[in-house]
Amino acid sequence: MSKTLIVGNWKMNGSLAENAALLQAWVQARAGQSAADVAVCVPSPYLAQAQGLLAGQRIDWGGQDCSAHEAGAYTGEVSAAMLRDLGCRYVIVGHSERRQYHQESDDLVALKAQRALAAGVTPIVCVGETLADREAGRTEFVVKRQLSAVIHAVGHCSSEMVVAYEPVWAIGTGHTATPAQAQAVHAVLRAQLQAATAHAQRNRILYGGSMTAANAAELLAQPDIDGGLIGGASLKADDFLAIVAASPTRA
Ligand code: PEP
């Protein structure tokens, strides 16, 4: 079984000074030597800074999105190859904020995952239902549809991606899924990956949605929760380090 993976998602937050203080605190606390694998997905302008501060520290860095195109006349876009050039190990694709505010479809997210894999960057593919979906009993249908678009596009590379289950109603709201609710969806996603690839044991499925130091241990103890994607709590060094410290040893 792979190590627990804890990934920070700073979203559109930070400054050179704030980032340096945060990342230096992680390095000083030896977060890279913990029981979990640790990474942070930063805004594109700060990738070079993350690379400078984290290279050699066993903490990975990544982007928060990439283009569905390989290269060319796409003003404002950042390609997966550029992320690779800056040493990124990961890129988040299909975050619910991109699906919601940028109308990203399942097919577009799948193309982005494909581009990332082709460039040698591991996509962290986010799936998750809205509150209305959950209340209508459509959770399983929605997350399976979102994941199946990516599996269909990347085929035999499906085992190379990380999946993040992020119920939309739990992101940034303080309403965390209960460990049982999260585990139930993770088990569905695990089964879907197992049906798609003979190497599904390589896939790590992260939970994201108001994970904090207070609830991390119980969530991360669930059999199909292999780590966390952490938004708000990744912006405070102590909170993030406490989540890393709460990670079970799985290696
Ligand atoms: C996220 O944005 O991926 C996330 C999980 O945010 P938060 O932890 O703030 O809910």
Side-chain angles (χ1 to χ4, degrees):
M1 194 189 289
S2 350
K3 280 170 85 172
T4 302
L5 173 61
I6 304 294
V7 183
N9 171 18
W10 285 354
K11 314 193 188 204
M12 198 172 72
N13 292 295
S15 66
L16 286 173
E18 286 167 349
N19 307 343
L22 197 48
L23 294 181
Q24 275 155 6
W26 295 8
V27 168
Q28 266 158 27
R30 301 167 70 82
Q33 269 95 72
S34 63
D37 288 331
V38 177
V40 61
C41 292
V42 307
S44 295
Y46 298 132
L47 283 169
Q49 183 189 26
Q51 183 176 36
L53 290 169
L54 297 179
Q57 300 297 334
R58 295 168 66 183
I59 298 174
D60 291 305
W61 58 96
Q64 298 176 2
D65 182 36
C66 69
S67 177
H69 302 284
E70 193 174 356
Y74 302 103
T75 302
E77 296 253 68
V78 173
S79 74
M82 291 170 187
L83 296 179
R84 183 65 243 164
D85 217 11
L86 280 152
C88 289
R89 174 144 185 200
Y90 298 105
V91 60
I92 297 171
V93 296
H95 192 283
S96 64
E97 288 152 14
R98 297 222 47 100
R99 292 181 191 262
Q100 187 182 349
Y101 304 135
H102 301 270
Q103 289 74 47
E104 293 198 0
S105 66
D106 294 344
D107 289 345
L108 184 73
V109 172
L111 258 177
K112 290 182 175 199
Q114 214 174 17
R115 288 282 176 221
L117 286 164
V121 179
T122 300
I124 300 175
V125 177
C126 297
V127 300
E129 81 287 4
T130 63
L131 187 57
D133 292 329
R134 178 162 280 267
E135 286 175 348
R138 286 165 44 90
T139 298
E140 195 171 318
F141 169 79
V142 170
V143 298
K144 283 174 88 171
R145 188 202 69 215
Q146 291 171 332
L147 184 57
S148 114
V150 181
I151 289 172
H152 183 71
V154 307
H156 66 90
C157 293
S158 293
S159 60
E160 306 305 320
M161 62 189 174
V162 171
V163 175
Y165 169 53
E166 297 209 310
V168 180
W169 48 271
I171 297 180
T173 59
H175 299 298
T176 319
T178 64
Q181 283 173 324
Q183 166 56 29
V185 179
H186 279 235
V188 166
L189 297 171
R190 177 88 64 208
Q192 193 178 1
L193 290 164
Q194 279 166 344
T197 163
H199 304 290
Q201 76 280 2
R202 291 193 197 145
N203 291 111
R204 286 189 280 193
I205 309 178
L206 315 183
Y207 168 79
S210 299
M211 194 186 271
T212 63
N215 59 35
E218 216 187 337
L219 285 160
L220 295 170
Q222 301 304 306
D224 290 301
I225 300 186
D226 306 319
L229 183 55
I230 319 296
S234 70
L235 296 169
K236 294 197 185 113
D238 289 350
D239 292 358
F240 186 73
L241 290 168
I243 293 172
V244 171
S247 302
T249 307
R250 290 180 191 249

